Amino acid sequence: MEEKIYDVFKNMNKKLTAREASMLSPLQLAYIGDAVYELFIRTYLLERDLPVHELHKEAIKYVKAKAQSDIVHELEDELTEEEKAIVKRGRNAKTYSSPKNAELIDYKYATGFESLIGFLYLTGRQERMMELFQKIVLEYN
């Protein structure tokens, strides 16, 4: 019997334990975190009722490497030891591409930030993620 596509997605999208999520590479966490963060920002910006071109320009202010690097530095004192360790793992991950429009150090910290978001998402810590997102939009609004 074939599974429905929804069931396949639902089974793939199960909440992981912190141990299971830690077994993923930091770049895998960043891959998911990048998508989750971008979706959050785009959804947040819809409230501004701007043309799509303007929405895109506004989104870039939040999602570019320099902005994410600045954000993770601003949030540093608010992060738990576990969260700091995840950021550090992401920051120190060996990447096989070089940033096109960013300084290497900003790119590395942005990867750490995205790793954190991916970790929080995959472990089902939406409340914590929303707490951080609220701080981000209040700071950069």
Side-chain angles (χ1 to χ4, degrees), residues 46-63:
L46 279 179
E47 292 181 4
R48 297 192 181 170
D49 197 28
L50 296 170
V52 173
H53 176 73
E54 293 298 318
L55 288 170
H56 178 71
K57 285 177 17 180
E58 285 296 308
I60 289 170
K61 293 178 185 177
Y62 289 90
V63 300

Side-chain angles (χ1 to χ4, degrees), residues 9-37 82 86 89 113-130 133:
F9 177 75
K10 189 170 101 177
N11 290 335
M12 288 185 331
N13 197 26
K14 68 181 176 102
K15 183 170 75 168
L16 302 178
T17 64
R19 186 168 188 267
E20 290 169 330
S22 294
M23 299 300 283
L24 296 171
S25 81
L27 297 180
Q28 289 173 314
L29 294 174
Y31 174 75
I32 294 297
D34 175 58
V36 170
Y37 182 64
E82 178 186 45
I86 292 161
R89 276 185 64 214
F113 172 74
E114 291 172 347
S115 296
L116 173 61
I117 299 302
F119 179 84
L120 293 173
Y121 173 76
L122 289 172
T123 57
R125 299 179 190 181
Q126 281 81 11
E127 190 173 308
R128 176 62 173 153
M129 213 171 30
M130 289 301 128
F133 286 164

